[in-house]
């Protein structure tokens, strides 16, 4: 790999056609530029400049090399800008689009960690009801990143991280079914069921599973809020059907338990972090890395 100083020497000599002019512009000794270019030509085994009486011009090998040099200098400049952003020398703003269930469970701890390391960066945390809305926000540039479940394919978006969680029964740790290694849907219907409503991505999975075993799904509570589901289960000693991602904080705190359901063993939701295919700012990439780590952790 060529040293950045040598890259600048080669570029300036190619532009000015003169080692002395390049030395004046770069404020270095002409002998230093000449010595390094000669050393590179020796290393390559071919001259990169043709030395005419009053001008230096690129040889064929030099033309090939200068393309690499200038592309590398551009990449270096972009990298330096990103490093400056990461050092906190510039203010930034990030918009994260997410589903409501993640706003009070997985995401807050990472937001706290990010804010502690980047206090000058403003975070906009925007809640959406559906994955399609999140995808539109990221694709349009309204949001830098999106996190939610079961996003569809979109040529404007790329998946930055993905983890699969299977739907299971969620209940309090002292519930009669909480100590079992797994349960059936028929075991659950004797208790108040707190179910995701028809607008939720979870509902189709539940309806199909109940239909397969010919059990009429009769919720005690229906809601589009995972936060309400969690609280309703705790307050009503009921059962809900969610993924481990939805109850990560409550499980760690000992407020809720997750028990696999046999009829839902094949039904899973994919927790996904998405960004635009064009990429994002350096500081948004830092948040993305934290969210990626979070997704890997809960999937393990």
């Amino acid at each position: 790999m060529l040293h950045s100083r040598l890259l600048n020497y080669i570029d300036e000599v190619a532009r000015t056609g003169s080692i002395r002019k390049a030395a004046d512009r770069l404020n270095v000794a002409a002998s230093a530029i000449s010595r390094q270019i000669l050393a590179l030509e020796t290393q390559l085994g071919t001259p990169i400049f043709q030395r005419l009486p009053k001008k230096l011009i690129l040889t064929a090998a030099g033309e090939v090399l200068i393309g690499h040099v200038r592309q590398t200098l551009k990449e270096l400049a972009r990298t330096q800008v990103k490093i400056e952003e990461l050092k906190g020398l510039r203010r930034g703003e990030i918009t994260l689009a997410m589903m409501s269930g993640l706003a009070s469970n997985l995401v807050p701890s990472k937001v706290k960690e990010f804010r502690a390391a980047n206090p000058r960066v403003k975070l906009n945390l925007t809640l959406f009801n559906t994955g399609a809305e999140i995808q539109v926000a990221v694709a349009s540039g309204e949001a830098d990143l999106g996190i939610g479940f079961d996003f569809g394919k979109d040529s404007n978006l790329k998946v930055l991280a993905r983890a699969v969680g299977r739907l299971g029964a969620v209940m309090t740790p002292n519930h009669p079914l909480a100590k079992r290694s797994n349960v059936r849907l028929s075991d659950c219907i004797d208790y108040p069921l707190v179910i995701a409503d028809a607008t939720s991505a979870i509902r189709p999975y539940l309806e199909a599973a109940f239909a397969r075993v010919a059990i009429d799904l009769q919720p005690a509570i229906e809601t589009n809020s995972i936060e309400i589901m969690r609280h309703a289960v705790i307050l009503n000693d009921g059962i809900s059907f969610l993924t481990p991602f939805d109850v990560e904080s409550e499980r760690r705190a000992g407020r809720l338990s997750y028990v696999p359901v046999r009829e839902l063993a094949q039904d899973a939701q994919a927790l996904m972090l998405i960004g635009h295919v064009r990429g994002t700012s350096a500081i948004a990439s830092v948040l993305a890395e934290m969210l990626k780590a979070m997704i890997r952790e809960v999937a393990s």
Side-chain angles (χ1 to χ4, degrees):
M1 181 180 293
L2 300 182
H3 193 283
S4 61
R5 184 179 302 165
L6 178 55
L7 295 177
N8 281 303
Y9 291 171
I10 296 168
D11 181 47
E12 200 61 48
V13 172
R15 292 180 187 280
T16 61
S18 165
I19 289 178
R20 186 159 300 281
K21 288 180 181 178
D24 290 341
R25 290 194 180 191
L26 296 172
N27 196 27
V28 296
S31 59
I33 296 178
S34 179
R35 184 169 56 251
Q36 292 210 35
I37 289 177
L38 285 171
L40 177 60
E41 289 178 325
T42 300
Q43 181 182 344
L44 294 175
T46 186
I48 58 175
F49 288 103
Q50 182 180 355
R51 290 156 175 83
L52 302 177
K54 294 185 178 181
K55 189 174 183 180
L56 274 66
I57 62 173
L58 290 166
T59 63
E63 291 287 355
V64 173
L65 179 65
I66 199 66
H68 166 73
V69 166
R70 288 172 180 168
Q71 183 61 35
T72 302
L73 288 172
K74 287 179 182 178
E75 291 294 334
L76 179 60
R78 283 194 285 265
T79 300
Q80 288 172 331
V81 169
K82 289 186 176 183
I83 290 173
E84 290 300 300
E85 290 178 350
L86 298 184
K87 287 164 62 179
L89 299 180
R90 299 184 180 184
R91 297 183 184 276
E93 184 171 338
I94 306 170
T95 297
L96 174 64
M98 71 183 92
M99 289 183 173
S100 60
L102 299 168
S104 58
N105 202 276
L106 289 176
V107 174
S109 62
K110 289 303 172 184
V111 167
K112 180 180 179 181
E113 180 183 341
F114 178 85
R115 288 284 303 133
N118 304 277
R120 299 176 67 186
V121 177
K122 178 185 176 183
L123 283 179
N124 300 310
L125 306 177
T126 306
L127 301 184
F128 291 90
N129 292 324
T130 69
E133 292 174 327
I134 293 175
Q135 288 184 269
V136 169
V138 177
S140 68
E142 178 186 346
D144 299 286
L145 301 166
I147 185 167
F149 295 97
D150 296 332
F151 293 129
K153 291 184 178 180
D154 188 319
S155 60
N156 294 309
L157 304 174
K158 62 180 175 180
V159 177
L160 305 176
R162 184 180 187 274
V164 173
R166 305 203 176 278
L167 286 170
V170 171
M171 60 200 74
T172 58
N174 59 359
H175 192 282
L177 302 180
K179 302 303 180 184
R180 295 193 185 184
S181 59
N182 60 73
V183 296
R184 292 185 176 276
L185 290 177
S186 57
D187 299 324
C188 301
I189 60 175
D190 293 331
Y191 302 94
L193 299 183
V194 183
I195 304 296
D197 70 13
T199 66
S200 169
I202 297 173
R203 185 59 176 260
Y205 294 108
L206 297 179
E207 289 180 345
F210 274 87
R212 285 195 298 266
V213 294
I215 296 176
D216 187 21
L217 178 57
Q218 295 185 350
I221 298 174
E222 282 186 283
T223 177
N224 65 349
S225 168
I226 291 178
E227 179 71 6
I228 292 176
M229 292 181 214
R230 291 191 290 250
H231 284 289
V233 166
I234 294 171
L235 296 175
N236 294 277
D237 201 26
I239 294 176
S240 189
F241 300 99
L242 298 168
T243 69
F245 306 135
D246 298 314
V247 292
E248 174 71 13
S249 297
E250 285 78 5
R251 291 175 71 194
R252 289 188 179 185
R255 293 192 296 269
L256 288 174
S257 294
Y258 169 90
V259 181
V261 177
R262 294 187 194 182
E263 293 89 347
L264 295 173
Q266 302 305 315
D267 294 319
Q269 283 192 292
L271 175 63
M272 303 167 75
L273 176 68
I274 58 173
H276 202 284
V277 291
R278 292 196 303 268
T280 186
S281 67
I283 199 64
S285 296
V286 174
L287 178 60
E289 289 303 316
M290 290 185 174
L291 294 174
K292 288 181 191 178
M294 174 195 75
I295 290 173
R296 288 193 296 267
E297 182 181 348
V298 298
S300 60

